Amino acid sequence: MQVYTTIAEVRQVQQAHRGTLGFVPTMGFLHEGHLTLVRAAKSENERVAVSIFVNPTQFGPQEDFARYPRALERDLNLLRESGVDWVFAPSVEHMYPDGFQTYVTVERISEGLEGARRPGHFRGVATVVAKLFNIVQPDRAYFGQKDAQQVAVIRRMVHDLALPLMVIAVPTVREPDGLAMSSRNTYLSPEQRAAAPVLYRALSAARARYEGGERSPEKLREAMRTVLTTEPLAVVDYVSAADNESLVELDAPSTRPILLSMAVFVGKTRLIDNLVLGQG
Ligand code: PAF
């Protein structure tokens, strides 16, 4: 497995290569969720590339960029064992050299949910992902459904800018107790870790209500809030029942797929999770 740190090296390997390339962009500190993306990429492409880059432009000034967990050697070993062909792990200075001033803004779909609470977050995500796509030139790119709005923003960007690749969303990988895998789970103390599965319990309660025939979006949100309030360590940032395509919050029953999503603080750690109802 080759590890490249410069754009020039990646361009060189890409020019020499024929056949399909699957790409998994990551911020490192890899877990089973990332390895599931790698396996999906391997099953559908001749070669697989992964990027590891903690992207400063998607973190707000009060967010955890400096303390975001990093473990490059461990990540590289995991990727080597997973049969990845090459890794792109650039420095911040290489991706954002002096004078950098070009950003990608995906408008409406970035504005609600996470975008409303994390101003500038999706501008940072869209910018770095567009730049990575330009450098890596993949045929298919793989993202976790856990970041549902991120997937929607990237799909929109790829469509609107006619980028020549497919975006593939892979189902969320969960711990046995339902907690969605995330690099940020590492911030949780044992007590907070024990509290964290309440997010999935809340989503599951709303799904059970939906499967029982409930169609009022407010009742679905209420079902999530009711479960979340049973956990004293959980502080709700938002719960949402939105149209799964536009991500606009629903105020009336809908026959279209619904994205249930939430952000909840457990201690200082902000956890997100989601489920889609009425799909397929
Ligand atoms: O989901 C992530 O890890 C990041 O947002 C991504 C897509 C790698 C962009 O920095």
Side-chain angles (χ1 to χ4, degrees):
M1 184 182 81
Q2 298 297 315
V3 181
Y4 304 120
T5 56
T6 67
I7 296 168
E9 288 169 299
V10 173
R11 289 228 196 280
Q12 211 171 19
V13 69
Q14 271 301 73
Q15 267 158 21
H17 174 65
R18 300 275 168 274
T20 58
L21 179 70
F23 176 46
V24 182
T26 81
M27 297 207 299
F29 210 74
L30 305 178
H31 51 68
E32 192 50 35
H34 297 110
L35 300 180
T36 303
L37 301 180
V38 168
R39 282 193 287 274
K42 270 188 79 76
S43 71
E44 293 175 338
N45 301 278
E46 282 155 61
R47 307 190 92 209
V48 173
V50 173
S51 63
I52 299 178
F53 179 64
V54 185
N55 172 37
T57 63
Q58 68 188 75
F59 289 79
Q62 308 305 325
E63 293 184 2
D64 54 345
F65 173 68
R67 71 175 189 125
Y68 194 84
R70 290 158 170 92
L72 185 61
E73 283 313 311
R74 176 182 153 278
D75 289 347
L76 294 177
N77 284 333
L78 286 170
L79 296 175
R80 208 170 279 119
E81 284 163 17
S82 306
V84 165
D85 293 279
W86 52 268
V87 171
F88 180 47
S91 66
V92 171
E93 295 71 29
H94 194 64
M95 288 295 277
Y96 296 108
D98 277 352
F100 186 96
Q101 52 190 291
T102 303
Y103 292 88
V104 178
T105 303
V106 181
E107 296 189 344
R108 292 185 300 285
I109 206 151
S110 293
E111 285 165 9
L113 303 174
E114 287 299 289
R117 277 92 191 165
R118 304 183 66 189
H121 171 66
F122 288 118
R123 175 184 186 252
V125 169
T127 301
V128 81
V129 170
K131 183 158 183 172
L132 288 168
F133 285 172
N134 262 335
I135 298 164
V136 173
Q137 309 235 326
D139 297 283
R140 298 184 184 86
Y142 296 80
F143 297 87
Q145 173 63 24
K146 181 185 154 261
D147 296 301
Q149 191 175 13
Q150 170 169 281
V151 174
V153 167
I154 292 167
R155 275 196 203 289
R156 190 74 242 171
M157 173 182 81
V158 164
H159 181 84
D160 289 352
L161 300 182
L163 303 182
L165 67 125
M166 277 174 68
V167 173
I168 294 165
V170 175
T172 303
V173 180
R174 299 181 181 282
E175 302 285 358
D177 59 10
L179 176 64
M181 288 196 187
S182 163
S183 305
R184 289 191 168 99
N185 292 350
T186 186
Y187 298 149
L188 300 169
S189 70
E191 198 193 356
Q192 292 166 347
R193 172 64 189 81
V198 73
L199 279 80
Y200 187 59
R201 284 206 303 280
L203 290 164
S204 304
R207 177 171 57 192
R209 293 285 296 274
Y210 180 88
E211 286 169 353
E214 182 60 75
R215 290 294 179 273
S216 153
E218 187 43 37
K219 287 272 166 26
L220 297 174
R221 288 186 285 264
E222 196 181 291
M224 293 189 275
R225 278 192 221 102
T226 302
V227 174
L228 290 168
T229 51
T230 63
E231 175 46 70
L233 294 185
V235 177
V236 178
D237 187 359
Y238 68 87
V239 297
S240 161
D243 181 84
N244 188 47
E245 204 180 298
S246 67
L247 305 191
V248 171
E249 200 63 36
L250 293 170
D251 53 15
S254 167
T255 53
R256 292 155 51 85
I258 298 173
L259 177 70
L260 299 179
S261 66
M262 59 179 61
V264 176
F265 284 96
V266 177
K268 287 203 169 91
T269 306
R270 187 172 178 279
L271 301 174
I272 60 170
D273 202 351
N274 69 82
L275 276 183
V276 180
L277 304 178
Q279 203 175 43

